[in-house]
């Protein structure tokens, strides 16, 4: 789950550029003495992992709503409409509200804050 922002953060924390590309070999790792910076690398990796989990959960929630069709029906003779709610849609909504609330309290939400708020 390492994204460009994580590599940039890692480079900033280490004080030298670390970017994955074709020239980033094990030899390069040894030359940069990255083994001496395991704590820093581990911290950035842990953040990346937590953010990846949030991103995957948001993607999954969005995908679960793709096939859902919400039916709007007229309510009696009132001239207003209501949403006809299927039990599974209501349960899915409840589950996703709880998940979204949990994400909103995560210290790793920053990269997805707008997406979480919109959801």
């Amino acid at each position: 789950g390492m994204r460009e922002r994580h590599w940039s953060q890692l480079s900033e924390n280490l004080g030298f550029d670390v970017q994955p590309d074709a020239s980033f070999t094990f030899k390069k790792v040894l030359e940069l003495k990255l083994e001496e910076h395991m704590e820093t690398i581990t911290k950035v990796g842990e953040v990346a992992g937590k953010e990846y989990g949030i991103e995957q959960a948001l993607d999954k929630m969005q995908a679960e709503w793709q096939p859902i069709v919400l039916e709007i029906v007229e309510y009696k003779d009132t001239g207003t409409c209501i949403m006809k709610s299927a039990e599974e849609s209501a349960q899915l909504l409840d589950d996703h509200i709880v998940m979204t609330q949990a994400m909103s309290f995560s210290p790793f939400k920053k990269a997805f804050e707008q997406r979480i708020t919109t959801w």
Side-chain angles (χ1 to χ4, degrees), residues 78-98:
T78 63
T80 61
C81 295
I82 60 170
M83 183 173 65
K84 189 174 182 180
S85 176
E87 182 61 33
E88 73 177 48
S89 295
Q91 184 60 50
L92 185 62
L93 180 60
D94 286 343
D95 293 347
H96 288 179
I97 287 171
V98 170

Side-chain angles (χ1 to χ4, degrees), residues 3-23:
R3 303 284 190 213
E4 180 60 37
R5 67 181 174 274
H6 302 117
W7 291 104
S8 296
Q9 182 65 52
L10 185 58
S11 295
E12 183 180 319
N13 291 355
L14 295 175
F16 53 86
D17 191 43
V18 179
Q19 294 294 325
D21 58 24
S23 69

Side-chain angles (χ1 to χ4, degrees), residues 7-57:
W7 291 104
S8 296
Q9 182 65 52
L10 185 58
S11 295
E12 183 180 319
N13 291 355
L14 295 175
F16 53 86
D17 191 43
V18 179
Q19 294 294 325
D21 58 24
S23 69
F24 195 72
T25 62
F26 187 65
K27 181 180 177 185
K28 182 79 168 179
V29 168
L30 296 176
E31 288 171 358
L32 293 172
K33 298 182 181 181
L34 291 181
E35 70 278 4
E36 296 175 7
H37 305 280
M38 289 306 293
E39 186 175 331
T40 301
I41 294 167
T42 300
K43 284 181 184 178
V44 173
E46 286 174 354
V47 169
K50 299 291 186 182
E51 288 181 0
Y52 182 75
I54 291 172
E55 183 177 25
Q56 292 299 302

Side-chain angles (χ1 to χ4, degrees), residues 66-81:
Q66 290 299 321
I68 304 293
V69 176
L70 300 175
E71 188 178 348
I72 307 298
V73 295
E74 190 173 328
Y75 181 68
K76 300 182 182 179
D77 291 326
T78 63
T80 61
C81 295

